[in-house]
Amino acid sequence: MPELPEVEVVRRGLVSWVRGRTIESVDVLDPRSIRRHALGTEDFIGNLEGATVTDVVRRGKFLWLPLADATPDAGPGETPRRPAVALMAHLGMSGQLLMQDPEVPDEKHLKVRFRLSARDGMPGELRFVDQRIFGGLFVTALVPTDDGGPGGLSESPVPLIAEEASHIARDPLDPAFPFELFYQRLRRRKTGLKRALLDQGLVSGIGNIYADEALWRAKLHYARPTDKLRRADAERLLAGIREVMLDALAAGGTSFDSLYVNVNGASGYFDRSLNAYGREGEPCRRCAEAGIHATIRREQFMNRSSHTCPVCQPRPRNGRW
């Protein structure tokens, strides 16, 4: 499943290609990929054709394209009307949003095609490709945000959020992320630190890989009790989360699954830089630099795995598992 950096890589790539362009036509080649659009194929297409993409927005792992009716007689530099709905994209395990020229042959698992208004030097089609069909597209309403801030990370922030994403907290890369509120809520929970990080109602977009990596950078064990966490530890943890995500963004995200590609079809390479996740039995790099012998260990956690260093991430005596 793509994690936050993978989805942000797609958002950054996509916005430069589609923002301000009008969806001229839509081909739904496999209705299973729009099964979340309850009103069916005809309504899905009717909501999209003639609409202008005003931005590409992300909160956590949720990605959406706000849509506005094209302004009559609007010039290339004019702003469309305020968006009221959005095209929601759920990438699932293998969903890809690809920009292609019309003459490029259809991908084997092409599910939905969007033909966009012409723009010099830019591909004319946005394609949704999904081999496993766990992802999907649907049109949803935009609703006001609870805190009056931007809906998510975007190029032109507006205080609207896709309805299906309104229940999740802001993510650590969001400029409006409220540390004080995050810390207060963290302290009120009586659970282990990693369990809290995976709770999308507390902080969104952190999955298993990046939780392990951030905890390693912060030198914190995944079972540390949240209600005992000091402010300095929480600040160090948040810094570690942001660092690992920004490093992953610079590399294009992880690529354990060859089906994950960004909007131009290129895979990420951050998996080569992981310090904890997937390194069971290998030396801890930080300890090795200090001349200390320690190997990364793997433990079962919530039907998944946690990877820690026994030396620089010691098990807490009062841990919550």
Side-chain angles (χ1 to χ4, degrees), residues 20 40 154 228:
S154 62
K228 306 292 184 184

Side-chain angles (χ1 to χ4, degrees), residues 12-317:
R12 291 183 181 186
L14 197 57
V15 71
S16 62
W17 296 109
V18 303
R19 186 182 179 201
R21 298 176 74 178
T22 298
I23 300 173
E24 295 186 337
S25 66
V26 180
D27 296 333
V28 177
L29 305 176
D30 190 336
R32 291 177 297 175
S33 288
I34 64 164
R35 62 192 178 279
R36 293 177 177 86
H37 190 85
L39 296 179
T41 301
E42 191 172 322
D43 185 81
F44 177 80
I45 294 173
N47 273 284
L48 296 172
E49 290 186 343
T52 297
V53 180
T54 64
D55 209 335
V56 182
V57 188
R58 181 196 56 74
R59 180 184 285 206
K61 303 176 189 180
F62 286 81
L63 184 74
W64 65 92
L65 284 64
L67 303 170
D69 292 336
T71 304
D73 303 320
E78 294 186 49
T79 305
R81 296 189 182 100
R82 188 181 180 89
V85 298
L87 173 63
M88 196 87 172
H90 177 59
L91 300 180
M93 294 291 289
S94 60
Q96 302 168 9
L97 289 166
L98 302 175
M99 295 299 302
Q100 298 284 26
D101 288 313
E103 59 269 18
V104 174
D106 289 354
E107 292 79 7
K108 181 179 180 181
H109 301 288
L110 176 62
K111 305 301 180 184
V112 184
R113 183 202 328 273
F114 304 92
R115 294 183 180 87
L116 306 176
S117 55
R119 186 173 289 179
D120 288 346
M122 291 192 175
E125 294 184 358
L126 171 63
R127 300 179 181 181
F128 180 68
V129 179
D130 190 4
Q131 177 176 328
R132 297 170 181 163
I133 320 181
F134 292 152
L137 306 172
F138 58 94
V139 178
T140 185
L142 291 172
V143 298
T145 55
D146 289 340
D147 57 9
L153 205 60
S154 62
E155 304 306 303
S156 52
V158 294
L160 297 172
I161 185 169
E163 193 168 18
E164 280 73 12
S166 61
H167 66 286
I168 68 168
R170 295 189 179 275
D171 66 68
L173 296 186
D174 190 329
F177 182 83
F179 171 78
E180 193 60 39
L181 180 62
F182 165 72
Y183 181 59
Q184 291 173 7
R185 289 178 174 174
L186 192 64
R187 291 272 296 183
R188 285 199 293 266
R189 282 167 164 75
K190 292 190 175 182
T191 187
L193 193 49
K194 184 173 177 180
R195 284 181 183 269
L197 291 180
L198 297 178
D199 180 354
Q200 301 297 296
L202 175 68
V203 54
S204 66
I206 302 175
N208 199 46
I209 297 174
Y210 294 108
D212 279 1
E213 290 300 301
L215 289 165
W216 183 88
R217 292 199 187 202
K219 299 181 180 180
L220 294 170
H221 192 276
Y222 67 88
R224 281 281 295 269
T226 56
D227 56 325
K228 306 292 184 184
L229 198 66
R230 298 172 297 178
R231 179 180 294 271
D233 292 332
E235 290 173 343
R236 192 168 75 253
L237 174 61
L238 182 59
I241 293 169
R242 286 173 170 158
E243 285 173 6
V244 72
M245 287 186 171
L246 290 172
D247 286 350
L249 277 174
T254 51
S255 60
F256 292 111
D257 192 330
S258 62
L259 292 172
Y260 166 71
V261 295
N262 67 20
V263 73
N264 292 317
S267 294
Y269 295 99
F270 186 63
D271 62 304
R272 302 176 186 178
S273 304
L274 296 175
N275 290 298
Y277 186 88
R279 299 192 66 245
E280 178 187 8
E282 297 182 36
C284 170
R285 293 184 176 121
R286 179 167 51 218
C287 289
E289 289 177 0
I292 300 169
H293 176 71
T295 57
I296 298 295
R297 64 186 175 194
R298 173 183 174 272
E299 296 176 326
Q300 290 296 314
F301 174 81
M302 293 176 62
N303 297 319
R304 287 177 277 190
S305 300
S306 278
H307 299 78
T308 59
C309 171
V311 174
C312 56
Q313 294 174 273
R315 293 167 66 97
R317 283 180 290 181

